[in-house]
């Protein structure tokens, strides 16, 4: 019997830097430019699926191509996140590559949302004033 997906209690909010950073990095023209804020305002972005973003290959079901696209997008996202936001690890002992693996898994999941990505970021990193 298939398990039902686990519902997350994480709330998308403009008071959470992980949500704001996720949105700004994915939307920003000088960042990843994966969508336009006029099409997807912050308030409605939480349920946007990763598979609807530009990096997601729409013309093939090739798993290797999806994995490569997701890996490249996740690495760019992670780089921009670290470079543009002063952050610390939530768990000092957790290795950065393991946090990147968690982010990569979200980028590779067809049903994952921006809210899920922000949740993973929030569990991995501390932002200023947290």
């Amino acid at each position: 019997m298939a398990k039902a997906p686990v519902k997350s209690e994480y709330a998308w909010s403009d008071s959470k830097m992980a949500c704001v950073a996720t949105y700004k990095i994915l939307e920003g023209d000088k960042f990843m430019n994966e969508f336009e804020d006029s099409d997807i305002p912050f308030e409605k972005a939480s349920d946007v699926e990763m598979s609807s973003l530009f990096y997601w290959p729409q013309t093939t079901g090739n798993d290797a191509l999806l994995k490569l696209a997701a890996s490249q997008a996740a690495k760019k996202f992670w780089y921009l996140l670290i470079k543009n936001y002063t952050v610390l690890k939530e768990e000092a002992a957790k290795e950065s590559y393991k946090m990147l693996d968690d982010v990569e898994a979200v980028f590779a999941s067809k049903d994952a949302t921006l809210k899920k990505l922000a949740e993973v970021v929030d569990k991995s990193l501390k932002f200023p004033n947290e």
Side-chain angles (χ1 to χ4, degrees), residues 25-26 28-34 55 69-84 100 103-104 107:
I25 290 170
L26 290 174
D29 294 345
K30 293 182 180 178
F31 296 117
M32 293 182 72
N33 200 24
E34 289 288 331
Y55 79 88
S71 177
Q72 289 176 334
K75 286 175 183 158
K76 184 173 184 179
F77 174 83
W78 191 253
Y79 167 79
L80 291 167
L81 181 65
I82 301 303
K83 182 171 174 52
N84 291 284
L100 180 56
V103 169
E104 234 177 271
F107 273 85

Side-chain angles (χ1 to χ4, degrees), residues 13-71:
S13 170
D14 63 359
S15 65
K16 291 183 180 177
M17 278 307 299
C19 298
V20 172
T22 295
Y23 182 84
K24 286 185 175 185
I25 290 170
L26 290 174
E27 185 280 326
D29 294 345
K30 293 182 180 178
F31 296 117
M32 293 182 72
N33 200 24
E34 289 288 331
F35 57 88
E36 296 300 322
D37 60 350
S38 59
D39 295 328
I40 304 172
F42 180 87
E43 297 75 24
K44 296 182 179 182
S46 67
D47 294 328
V48 171
E49 292 181 344
M50 302 304 286
S51 59
S52 71
L53 301 179
F54 291 138
Y55 79 88
W56 191 274
Q58 300 294 328
T59 58
T60 182
N62 184 323
D63 288 341
L65 182 59
L66 171 59
K67 185 174 180 177
L68 177 63
S71 177

Side-chain angles (χ1 to χ4, degrees), residues 95-116:
E95 295 165 333
S96 294
Y97 79 90
K98 290 182 181 176
M99 289 184 277
L100 180 56
D101 285 347
D102 295 341
V103 169
E104 234 177 271
V106 175
F107 273 85
S109 174
K110 181 177 182 169
D111 300 323
T113 61
L114 268 64
K115 180 171 84 169
K116 180 62 180 174

